[in-house]
Structure formats: structure tokens, C-alpha cells
Amino acid sequence: MKKVFVFIGVLVSLMVLVFFYFTEWSVNARMSKENVVNSEKLKIGMDSLRVKRVMGEPDARSNYGSENNIPSFYYRPPFLSSDGIYIHFDSLGHVKRITYFE
């Protein structure tokens, strides 16, 4: 019986460590948290170069759904978020809308 409790204790400990790895310690987790902090510095009307200085290079760009093929920037979301951070620009290259993760 004692071996079962030790096994369960080790298993729970490993699960906790894996959870913290994916939510706190991994490179992706740290980068996504940095994206959230930096996105709070963005303002409507900023130009795309200023956005890149604040946020860094986007994880992806998309022309989907934008008029005149104006790109939207995508930044990785925190762990367990349903979607990322999208920054949409107007035809002059200024921030028109910021869509945060849900």
C-alpha cells in the first residue's frame, strides 16, 4: 500500500512540474507573457514600425479579411488562451484595432 501512495505522489509531482513548465518556464510561455505585457503599451493610431519596436516581429502576418491587402500582425497568446493578439492596420499603416486573446 505504501508503494501505491509513493507512486501517486510522484505522479502528481510530475504533473505539477509539467503544468508549470507549459505555463511559466518554457520559452513559449515567457514570450507569450511578454506579448501580453507589451500589447498593453500599444495605442490606436501607432504606425507599424512603432508596433514592431514595442512588440518585436510578429509571429505571423495575415492579409485575410482586410481591405486592400493591408496586413494584420499576430502574436502568440498565453497558454490555454483561445486565440492570440491581433493588431489590425488601416490603409496608412496605423493601428486601427487591437483584438486580444479570449
Side-chain angles (χ1 to χ4, degrees):
M1 190 67 159
K2 184 177 178 182
K3 289 180 181 180
V4 172
F5 285 124
V6 169
F7 177 76
I8 290 172
V10 169
L11 185 62
V12 168
S13 298
L14 285 174
M15 289 172 51
V16 168
L17 285 173
V18 167
F19 175 79
F20 275 107
Y21 175 78
F22 284 110
T23 60
E24 301 290 330
W25 301 326
S26 72
V27 172
N28 288 340
R30 288 187 306 228
M31 287 177 60
S32 62
K33 285 185 178 198
E34 189 176 313
N35 287 342
V36 172
V37 170
N38 289 339
S39 70
E40 294 171 355
K41 300 173 188 174
L42 299 178
K43 305 280 187 233
I44 301 297
M46 285 181 145
D47 65 17
S48 61
L49 294 176
R50 179 86 188 253
V51 170
K52 285 183 186 178
R53 273 186 263 155
V54 172
M55 297 290 294
E57 284 296 319
D59 296 316
R61 295 173 189 237
S62 172
N63 294 336
Y64 179 75
S66 64
E67 55 274 345
N68 301 325
N69 291 328
I70 301 165
S72 296
F73 291 171
Y74 169 81
Y75 292 91
R76 190 173 304 138
F79 184 66
L80 296 179
S81 294
S82 62
D83 209 354
I85 301 166
Y86 290 92
I87 302 166
H88 307 276
F89 297 94
D90 62 14
S91 60
L92 299 174
H94 295 98
V95 175
K96 176 173 70 174
R97 183 178 69 228
I98 303 168
T99 306
Y100 292 97
F101 54 91
E102 299 174 354

